[in-house]
Amino acid sequence: MAAPKRENQTGSQSPQKRTKKVHNQHQNNLISHIDGVSSNPNRSGNLPDDILDRIFSFLPIKQAVEIGVLSPRFKKSWLFNRKILFDREFARHHDREEYIHIVNHVFNSHVGSRIQSLSLCFDPTAKEHMIERWLKICAEKGIEELDLDFFQGRDVFKISQFLDIKSLTTLKLVYCEVDLPPQLTGLSFLTTLILKKVDLNTETMETLFFHCLLLETVDLWQCCNIQHLKVCARSLKRFKVLKVRHCTEILSIEIDAPTLRSIYYIGNVVKFQFAEVLHLDEVLLNFSPSRCFAKASLVENLVSDLSYANVLTTTSAFLEGLTTRIRDGAFRDLQFRLWNLKEFQLFMEGTSYCNLFDIASFLKNCPSLEKLFLDLNDFSFDCGFYWELHQKQLLQYFPHFFTGLKFIKVKGFKFQKHELELVRFLLGKAVFLETLVLVTPRTGRVRIYEPADAINYKRLIFSWRASPKTNIVLLDHYHDKGPVQPKVSQFG
């Protein structure tokens, strides 16, 4: 049987270029439409200023200005714009002084009654007074969405009284230091809080959870100076999503949030403590690999709190924490059940010793599992002597069947020995499996060119099926566009 051919690279247009092209097409269509309206009085109907105010409020300020050059009728309409968005894309095309001059001119010229959104991205050093004035104007005009991205700053931007804005519903801060006033009167309508590279402490987070009773989403990314995160959200009736990513100083996360439905965590293995077992819709746990036994015990304690999660996305480091080991003086499995788990997505990490038996031992504890996604990426199974002498035989006589499993996708499939053993095991145990999809690596180093290769591999894999109705699909990675995709698509 011929092995799949390899190549070093595949050529394709980048997603960024495709997105920009589509965006420009939509913008040109919109400009053409408005141009047609402005050139035909019967179509424009002499719209009053308040209607124009409303129309242009839906456009970012840059597009409003571009459209304003089409005719005298629209020349000044940008002055009513509600979305003052000067984000990273805009900042890339202007130096600092020019950027500040443009933003300041917009605020000096703005005559609209409302400002819905403000997005800034520049070095705020020595411009604190100017930012304070802009924010004061926004507060007076009922701003709802505030995005301050100061990653270019020489020092962390200190923000305190600027945050006490009552109308805010969405707040995003990058490279800031949050100093909340003792008596917080603003942020009472806040629903979304995103903090990236922000100096935090336990008291600040407790204050936010206490005062922001409408919070729905909290996203902490690369925040520092906080070791013990307490999510005290029992009085919050709408709190649904918690994201904690790359906050390296965090040691523990304490969660008291009955309405929480989604948890996304990326970082070192930390202690999770739940006030009660939650019915979670989605859980993402991207643990950094650790050889520490104490870290493994933290994973063991966590899995019991995920008993009623519906979707779980994690890495092989999580499975390593659950593997068979000496527990209470005896070599035995960890006893747990994920009763509601319908979808499981596993990313295999290159530094992990997770093997086929660890995967099988986990799957047997998921009685309701319907969809399984395995991303092998550049991972190669290094099973070792213990696998060859003990676990391999246990897997051959594995007594459990995965009766609910209907769909399996294995990405980064390289047709290696242990990968084929994994597929053979899954096909033999998923007795009601409907579809198995095998996708070659994203690197393009393994691709199926010859139809004969696909036919020969399909014939071999078909012979392993427990169900004759199982459909088997072999795909190169750029053809992986089927309707069945994992609910959690991004992992980093």
Side-chain angles (χ1 to χ4, degrees):
M1 184 184 301
K5 295 190 176 181
R6 298 173 181 265
E7 69 172 22
N8 293 328
Q9 203 167 358
T10 58
S12 61
Q13 191 178 28
S14 69
Q16 293 85 353
K17 291 183 178 179
R18 289 197 299 269
T19 302
K20 188 174 182 180
K21 183 178 180 181
V22 171
H23 171 75
N24 291 336
Q25 288 175 347
H26 288 315
Q27 180 173 320
N28 292 335
N29 292 339
L30 182 58
I31 292 175
S32 299
H33 175 71
I34 293 181
D35 191 22
V37 171
S38 63
S39 62
N40 188 342
N42 293 328
R43 294 177 64 188
S44 64
N46 294 323
L47 294 176
D49 288 345
D50 59 338
I51 300 299
L52 284 176
D53 181 5
R54 182 63 177 172
I55 292 174
F56 279 86
S57 69
F58 290 101
L59 296 174
I61 184 70
K62 181 180 177 182
Q63 287 180 272
V65 172
E66 290 174 347
I67 293 175
V69 303
L70 295 176
S71 69
R73 179 71 190 282
F74 298 105
K75 187 176 182 180
K76 298 296 184 180
S77 294
W78 65 270
L79 299 175
F80 299 90
N81 190 265
R82 302 184 184 190
K83 295 187 176 182
I84 303 178
L85 307 180
F86 295 106
D87 53 15
R88 291 196 183 192
E89 177 63 27
F90 182 86
R92 277 196 288 266
H93 299 89
H94 303 276
D95 61 42
R96 182 173 182 264
E97 295 305 318
E98 183 182 19
Y99 179 99
I100 294 173
H101 175 76
I102 293 173
V103 176
N104 202 43
H105 176 67
V106 168
F107 274 101
N108 289 336
S109 305
H110 194 272
V111 295
S113 60
R114 291 284 309 281
I115 294 179
Q116 178 184 341
S117 307
L118 173 64
S119 179
L120 298 177
C121 180
F122 73 106
D123 179 2
T125 304
K127 299 297 179 181
E128 291 82 1
H129 66 288
M130 188 172 291
I131 296 173
E132 182 177 0
R133 186 176 73 86
W134 296 343
L135 291 177
K136 184 178 180 181
I137 294 174
C138 290
E140 293 172 350
K141 298 190 178 187
I143 187 171
E144 299 175 9
E145 302 169 356
L146 180 60
D147 180 355
L148 302 181
D149 187 348
F150 296 143
F151 81 100
Q152 303 178 52
R154 182 178 60 194
D155 300 312
V156 175
F157 183 78
K158 295 183 179 180
I159 183 167
S160 55
Q161 69 270 23
F162 310 154
L163 287 181
D164 217 6
I165 300 175
K166 295 182 179 181
S167 57
L168 275 180
T169 61
T170 300
L171 176 61
K172 179 180 179 181
L173 301 177
V174 179
Y175 201 50
C176 297
E177 180 180 337
V178 178
D179 183 15
L180 295 177
Q183 297 297 325
L184 187 63
T185 59
L187 304 182
S188 56
F189 293 102
L190 193 68
T191 61
T192 301
L193 176 65
I194 303 173
L195 304 178
K196 182 176 181 180
K197 295 184 178 180
V198 172
D199 287 346
L200 287 177
N201 55 55
T202 302
E203 291 74 20
T204 297
M205 293 306 302
E206 289 181 349
T207 299
L208 288 169
F209 281 115
F210 181 78
H211 287 280
C212 305
L213 298 180
L214 299 182
L215 263 180
E216 298 176 4
T217 299
V218 171
D219 187 349
L220 308 180
W221 193 352
Q222 295 180 327
C223 293
C224 56
N225 292 334
I226 181 168
Q227 294 184 336
H228 304 284
L229 175 61
K230 294 184 178 181
V231 183
C232 304
R234 178 159 292 273
S235 58
L236 276 61
K237 305 304 181 184
R238 301 182 180 181
F239 186 56
K240 302 294 183 184
V241 180
L242 173 66
K243 298 182 180 181
V244 181
R245 299 180 278 181
H246 306 293
C247 300
T248 56
E249 297 181 38
I250 286 184
L251 301 176
S252 66
I253 300 177
E254 184 178 332
I255 299 175
D256 184 7
T259 62
L260 187 63
R261 291 296 175 264
S262 299
I263 298 176
Y264 304 86
Y265 176 83
I266 302 174
N268 298 324
V269 180
V270 298
K271 179 182 179 181
F272 279 84
Q273 184 175 347
F274 291 82
E276 59 189 84
V277 177
L278 302 175
H279 289 262
L280 298 167
D281 293 327
E282 295 179 0
V283 177
L284 183 149
L285 300 171
N286 184 351
F287 288 141
S288 303
S290 173
R291 304 256 62 88
C292 177
F293 178 78
K295 297 292 185 181
S297 65
L298 295 178
V299 176
E300 292 182 2
N301 295 332
L302 170 60
V303 72
S304 61
D305 291 313
L306 305 179
S307 299
Y308 296 102
N310 293 327
V311 176
L312 174 61
T313 299
T314 189
T315 60
S316 48
F318 179 78
L319 261 62
E320 281 191 344
L322 306 176
T323 191
T324 304
R325 62 165 55 90
I326 296 178
R327 293 181 171 92
D328 299 327
F331 193 78
R332 59 185 180 86
D333 294 338
L334 179 67
Q335 301 301 311
F336 68 94
R337 282 291 185 274
L338 301 182
W339 297 105
N340 288 2
L341 194 66
K342 298 290 194 301
E343 177 181 310
F344 179 54
Q345 182 177 197
L346 177 64
F347 286 79
M348 303 299 292
E349 301 285 353
T351 56
S352 170
Y353 292 103
C354 180
N355 60 38
L356 281 61
F357 187 78
D358 296 324
I359 297 174
S361 297
F362 179 83
L363 295 180
K364 76 177 183 181
N365 293 299
C366 309
S368 302
L369 190 65
E370 298 176 358
K371 298 177 183 178
L372 173 63
F373 298 89
L374 299 176
D375 193 330
L376 303 181
N377 198 10
D378 292 326
F379 181 84
S380 293
F381 286 99
D382 183 14
C383 296
F385 289 110
Y386 187 72
W387 156 260
E388 294 292 342
L389 296 177
H390 183 65
Q391 290 182 322
K392 185 175 182 179
Q393 185 177 4
L394 290 177
L395 201 64
Q396 290 176 351
Y397 298 99
F398 198 78
H400 301 275
F401 290 88
F402 312 132
T403 56
L405 198 54
K406 299 293 191 299
F407 181 89
I408 300 175
K409 177 183 285 188
V410 182
K411 299 179 68 173
F413 193 74
K414 301 176 287 296
F415 300 88
Q416 294 178 351
K417 174 185 175 183
H418 292 301
E419 295 176 353
L420 291 170
E421 289 177 343
L422 172 64
V423 168
R424 184 171 186 173
F425 170 79
L426 293 174
L427 283 173
K429 294 299 180 179
V431 293
F432 298 111
L433 186 67
E434 296 174 358
T435 304
L436 168 68
V437 181
L438 303 176
V439 184
T440 59
R442 293 186 297 270
T443 57
R445 290 179 296 177
V446 177
R447 294 182 61 185
I448 302 174
Y449 281 106
E450 302 297 334
D453 292 345
I455 292 174
N456 289 333
Y457 274 104
K458 270 193 173 184
R459 185 179 295 117
L460 173 64
I461 296 172
F462 264 77
S463 67
W464 298 335
R465 297 179 303 171
S467 171
K469 296 181 180 180
T470 301
N471 181 35
I472 297 175
V473 181
L474 302 181
L475 293 176
D476 286 319
H477 71 99
Y478 53 83
H479 287 146
D480 181 23
K481 301 175 183 178
V484 182
Q485 299 292 340
K487 288 189 176 181
V488 180
S489 58
Q490 296 184 350
F491 200 63

